[in-house]
Amino acid sequence: MAATLVRSLAKKRVPLQVGRMCYSSSVPTTKLFIDGKFVESRSSEWLDIHNPATNEVIGRVPKATQEEMLAAVDSCSRAFHSWSETSILTRQQVFLRYQQLIKDNIKELAKLITLEQGKTLADAEGDVFRGLQVVEHTCSITSLMMGETLPSITKDMDTYTFRLPLGVCAGIAPFNFPAMIPLWMFPMGMVCGNTYLMKPSERVPGCAMMLAKLLQDAGAPDGTLNVIHGQHDAVNFICDHPAIKAISFVGSNQAGEYIYERGSKNGKRVQSNMGAKNHGVVMPDANKENTLNQLVGAAFGAAGQRCMALSTAILVGEACNWLPDLVERTKHLRVNAGDQPGADVGPLISPQARDRVNQLIQSGVEEGATLLLDGRNIKVKGYENGNFVGPTIISNVTTDMQCYREEIFGPVLVVLEADTLDEAIKIINKNPYGNGTAIFTTNGAVARKYTHEVDVGQIGVNVPIPVPLPMFSFTGSRASFRGDTNFYGKQGIQFYTQIKTVTSQWKAEDATLKSPAVTMPTMGR
C-alpha cells in the first residue's frame, strides 16, 4: 500500500521524492535542506520511518552530522543580513505566493501526513489547513510589525519604536501535526526578517520537506530556511549554538522542560508548548445531542494524539446519566488505516505508543475505575500489524489514578463526576496543566463563572477544542507552557522581534545656539 501511495503522489503537482534520495529500489531516504539545496547526508546513522497502519518501513531519515548542522546554521547566518534588509513588502509577497502553493498542494501534503503519521486523510487536510491559516496571517505583516510613535513628548522631541528581527531562529516540531506546527514556526519567524533552522520530527519528515520545497518555489532566497534531521544531538546543537537566538518547541513535557532550561541558560528566547490534560465540563442543562457529538469528536479524533484533545470529561450532577449514550455514540466510530474511506480513528504513531496507552488503560482498571468501552486488542482487517487502539471510555476515575494524572495521548476518555460546578472547577485548578478546557452549558451565567474562575489558558464555551485562530495567540499556561510569549498572533510577532526605541530632538533654535547645556536633561518640563 505504501509503495502504491508513493508512486501515486509522484504524479502530483509537487513530487513526493522532493527531499528524498534513492536508498534502495524500494525504500527512499530523506535529504537535508541546506543553503537552498536538497543534499544527501553523509551520516552513518539512520532511522527508519514507518507507516503506522502497517509498521512497514517506508523510508529512512538521517541523524545529521555535526558538520551538516554547522553548515545549516552558517547558511542561515549568511542569509540573515540580506533577508532582514529585504523590504517588508517583498517578504509579504513571498508568503502570499506560499499560501497559494500550500492551497494548491493540500491534498498531496495530506497524503504524506497520512502515510507517515497515520491520521485520517480528512484530519490530515485539517492539519494542513490550520497551518495554512497562520501563513495567511503572516501576510498581514505590514500591519502586525508596526511600531509606535509619540510626538512632542517635550518641545521639539519625539519618541518612536520599531520592531527588528532577532537573527537565526530555530524550530523543533513534534510528530502529531507534521504540517500545522512547522507552519506555526518558520513562516512567523521568517516574515519578521529572521532566517530559520527547522528540525521536524524524525518520525514524520516528509511533509516538512515538501513545505520547504514549496517555500523555495514561492521565492524564499537560499539560506533563509534550512532543514536538519536528528534526535538528541540535533536538539542539543540547537540549544547550544551561539548564532541561534530563539527556539520554538512543541512536544512532551520532558523534552520541553529540558529545551527551555538549556536554551535559556545559553541566553536564547524559548517558547515551549508541552503536555496537557484537557477537561470538558458537562452541565446538566447542556444541549445533549450537540455535547455528546462534541465530546466524541474531541476525545477520539486524531486517535487522541493532540495536545488539545479533550481527554477528560467531568459530568456535573444529572449529566452523569448521559454515560450510556456517550458509549453508544462512541461505538459507531470506525477504526481503520487513515487512507481508507470512512475511517474515523487511525493508528497511533508507534508500537511503543500503543503499548503505553494500553498500559494506562490497564492501570485504571487495576486502580478501581470502570472500563465502559475497551479498545485494546482491536484488529483491523488487512492492517493486523498496525498500531491501533480503539476508542476507550473509563468511568469512576479519581484524581489520584495514573490514567488521570498522566497525559495518555491516545483514543481514551476518562470520566469523572462532580456534584457542582465549583467542585469541577476545583478539580481542574488542582491539575498542573493549563492548555485547554471546555464547558458545555446553555446558561450564560454559568459559562461566565467558569471562564473567569478556571485557571486554564484557552477556554471553550460549547467549543470542545478552543485553539484560537491566528489573529489571536495560542495561550496554553501553567505546566503546559514555558516562556514569556506564545505562538502566532501578536505574541508570535513579539517572540520573533526585538524593539528598538528612538528618542530624537531637532530644536528650532539649534541654528543659533551658542553654548552647550550642562544641566541634567528634564523631559516634559
Side-chain angles (χ1 to χ4, degrees), residues 467-489:
V467 177
L469 289 171
M471 62 286 295
F472 295 91
S473 297
F474 190 99
T475 53
S477 61
R478 295 197 285 151
S480 295
F481 182 74
R482 291 289 179 266
D484 296 318
T485 51
N486 223 309
F487 290 82
Y488 59 78

Side-chain angles (χ1 to χ4, degrees), residues 224-285:
T224 52
L225 174 67
N226 288 267
V227 182
I228 61 172
H229 305 291
Q231 294 178 310
H232 304 95
D233 289 346
V235 169
N236 288 337
F237 176 86
I238 288 170
C239 290
D240 295 344
H241 197 287
I244 295 172
K245 305 302 181 185
I247 303 171
S248 183
F249 169 81
V250 175
S252 70
N253 273 68
Q254 182 179 1
E257 296 280 7
Y258 174 83
I259 291 166
Y260 179 75
E261 181 179 355
R262 185 160 180 159
S264 297
K265 281 184 177 178
N266 287 319
K268 305 179 192 303
R269 289 187 184 181
V270 184
Q271 54 177 195
S272 184
N273 198 56
M274 303 180 292
K277 197 71 175 181
N278 306 311
H279 299 72
V281 174
V282 180
M283 301 302 293
D285 69 303

Side-chain angles (χ1 to χ4, degrees), residues 83-101 134-146 186-194 215 218-221 493:
W83 181 244
S84 62
E85 293 296 324
T86 298
S87 159
I88 196 169
L89 294 174
T90 299
R91 298 201 302 264
Q92 180 191 46
Q93 287 295 320
V94 168
F95 285 95
L96 282 167
R97 292 190 292 270
Y98 190 44
Q99 56 90 24
Q100 186 59 52
L101 287 172
V134 176
V135 178
E136 291 172 336
H137 189 59
T138 66
C139 298
S140 301
I141 190 62
T142 48
S143 299
L144 297 172
M145 208 166 160
M146 280 186 176
F186 67 84
M188 292 295 297
M190 289 177 62
V191 79
C192 291
N194 302 287
L215 184 63
I493 299 295

